[in-house]
Amino acid sequence: MKNSSFRIVPIHTEIAEAARREAEAGASDHAVITADSPGGFPCRHCLRWAQPGERMILFPYAAIAPGRPYSESGPIFVHAEPCARYAATDEFPLEFREGRVLRAYNSQHDMIAAEVANGEGPEAVIERFLQRPETAFVHVRSVSHGCYTMEVERI
Ligand SMILES: [Zn+2]
């Protein structure tokens, strides 16, 4: 479903590449894990679930940078091998439509709303958040694990 009001923002390629370098160097906070199930290892760069057997890097990512009340860092996966950054940025990624909570933040990076996208789908929640002028961006996270999935910005 294409839309014209928001854009999906996967993590930057530089962040994925840095994680691969850190893992290669043996950094203690960058674990290399082999996916052993089809729905447990989401790559935040290509925005796809890893297939069993694919190697993934697990590392901490500061979704809200330090120095603010809502600062937050937590574990995310990226593919250990180079992958293509998600490019269909006018479409909410099909593989992450289920099991997500959406959070709206203002320009001070304070959380101003949060909703689980049940039934109506994530696009409707995003549209509603973006209709509030104070919403600066939206974060998508896992309902079950709390991990950061992607950012959504207003076009
Ligand atoms: Zn990937």
Side-chain angles (χ1 to χ4, degrees):
M1 188 193 304
K2 292 186 189 301
N3 77 89
S4 56
S5 65
F6 66 79
R7 178 186 297 123
I8 301 295
V9 186
I11 64 164
H12 291 284
T13 299
E14 294 72 25
I15 292 171
E17 289 175 343
R20 290 167 188 143
R21 283 196 302 273
E22 290 288 312
E24 187 72 23
S28 63
D29 59 352
H30 284 57
V32 180
I33 293 168
T34 300
D36 59 4
S37 66
F41 303 86
C43 178
R44 274 56 161 215
H45 184 243
C46 61
L47 294 179
R48 300 183 62 90
W49 294 104
Q51 294 306 301
E54 285 189 299
R55 291 167 63 245
M56 307 297 288
I57 298 167
L58 181 64
F59 68 103
Y61 176 71
I64 300 291
R68 299 177 184 274
Y70 282 90
S71 297
E72 197 161 1
S73 178
I76 64 170
F77 289 107
V78 294
H79 279 109
E81 307 302 327
C83 59
R85 191 176 187 224
Y86 182 76
T89 55
D90 59 349
E91 298 176 57
F92 194 92
L94 274 180
E95 300 194 19
F96 298 106
R97 294 186 57 81
E98 306 297 326
R100 301 295 122 180
V101 61
L102 295 99
R103 299 176 177 177
Y105 292 84
N106 65 18
S107 59
Q108 302 303 305
H109 297 195
D110 293 328
M111 195 191 308
I112 55 173
E115 278 185 44
V116 175
N118 278 330
E120 62 180 343
E123 293 89 349
V125 178
I126 291 168
E127 297 284 354
R128 197 161 57 248
F129 284 170
L130 293 180
Q131 281 166 11
R132 299 172 59 162
E134 66 269 34
T135 298
F137 59 92
V138 175
H139 278 183
V140 182
R141 286 178 172 264
S142 160
V143 166
S144 57
H145 292 62
C147 308
Y148 174 82
T149 312
M150 71 193 94
E151 186 164 295
V152 183
E153 64 183 15
R154 183 186 276 113
I155 290 180

